[in-house]
Amino acid sequence: MHATSKTFGTTSSTATRGRNYRWRVVDIVVASVIGVASGVIFWAWGLAWSPLSSLLAFAPGLGGLLAGGWLFAGVLGGLIIRKPGAALYTEVIAAVVSMLIGTQWGFATLIWGVLQGLGAEIVLALFFYANFRLGVALLAGAGAGLAVALLDTAISYAALDLGFKTVYFVTAILSGTVLAGLLSWLAVRGLARTGALSRFASGREAMRPARAPQAVR
């Protein structure tokens, strides 16, 4: 048993050391496409934000549930590209695109995009860009949710009471976990099955047949 555990540890560290973190042209192109497409969705989500917020106004702070609609680009890009900076890059591109189309938040959209992207990026970095399973995807979404919760409660809702901020904080992280983390992970698996991600490790991994469990000798 000790030998087996040691083997798994050695294999994992060797794979991490051998991973190529240099961006290819296809990485840049696909990350940019994800960012632009997400930016259009961000813009549309911004249009829907006011009426949706009104529906959630019965309980102060529940507006945080809508935050995830602006957080998925970074997580999705990070899960597909699997390179340092991918989550930040795609989230920033999405923020820039939505800002250029026109949002009510103007230049602040870019600031939020940078910090939201960093929230997801830091989580992926903590796992050395080597683990992209569901749990890590959920944590990356939660990290982006934490970033937007900190920004919104410190700036946008700074004058509101602690009760509002607490509810908003929790719901924003929950929204990031589900809308950005879970849905992005499912989207990657769905895209991989179509063969669209065959140039990426994320696509090849999803298409790889499951190995039968081996007996421990």
Side-chain angles (χ1 to χ4, degrees):
M1 292 295 291
H2 292 294
T4 303
S5 299
K6 186 175 181 180
T7 300
F8 281 135
T10 303
T11 302
S12 177
S13 62
T14 301
T16 301
R17 287 197 301 269
R19 189 178 296 273
N20 182 9
Y21 291 126
R22 293 185 62 182
W23 282 57
R24 305 166 298 167
V25 173
V26 68
D27 296 327
I28 299 172
V29 171
V30 171
S32 299
V33 170
I34 293 171
V36 171
S38 299
V40 175
I41 296 174
F42 282 11
W43 169 77
W45 191 249
L47 296 179
W49 177 78
S50 291
L52 291 176
S53 294
S54 299
L55 294 176
L56 297 173
F58 64 89
L62 282 185
L65 291 173
L66 303 176
W70 289 291
L71 305 177
F72 70 88
V75 180
L76 183 60
L79 293 179
I80 290 177
I81 306 301
R82 298 188 173 187
K83 301 284 177 67
L88 177 60
Y89 178 80
T90 50
E91 187 73 23
V92 169
I93 292 295
V96 169
V97 169
S98 64
M99 180 181 68
L100 292 177
I101 295 175
T103 70
Q104 58 185 299
W105 298 283
F107 184 75
T109 303
L110 177 58
I111 299 173
W112 261 247
V114 170
L115 293 176
Q116 289 163 184
L118 282 174
E121 188 74 42
I122 289 171
V123 171
L124 298 179
L126 289 174
F127 288 89
F128 303 102
Y129 302 99
N131 186 339
F132 298 91
R133 295 177 181 175
L134 176 59
V136 176
L138 296 178
L139 286 175
L146 174 62
V148 75
L150 289 171
L151 272 172
D152 285 348
T153 54
I155 299 176
S156 302
Y157 304 121
L160 298 182
D161 60 80
L162 180 61
F164 177 97
K165 292 180 179 179
T166 301
V167 174
Y168 189 90
F169 210 93
V170 172
T171 54
I173 294 175
L174 177 62
S175 180
T177 302
V178 176
L179 296 183
L182 176 60
L183 293 188
S184 292
W185 185 80
L186 291 173
V188 171
R189 293 182 66 82
L191 286 170
R193 290 193 182 98
T194 68
L197 303 180
S198 60
R199 299 285 301 276
F200 299 90
S202 53
R204 295 190 295 271
E205 181 180 284
M207 295 298 291
R208 190 180 303 150
R211 293 182 179 179
Q214 297 179 352
V216 178
R217 296 180 180 178

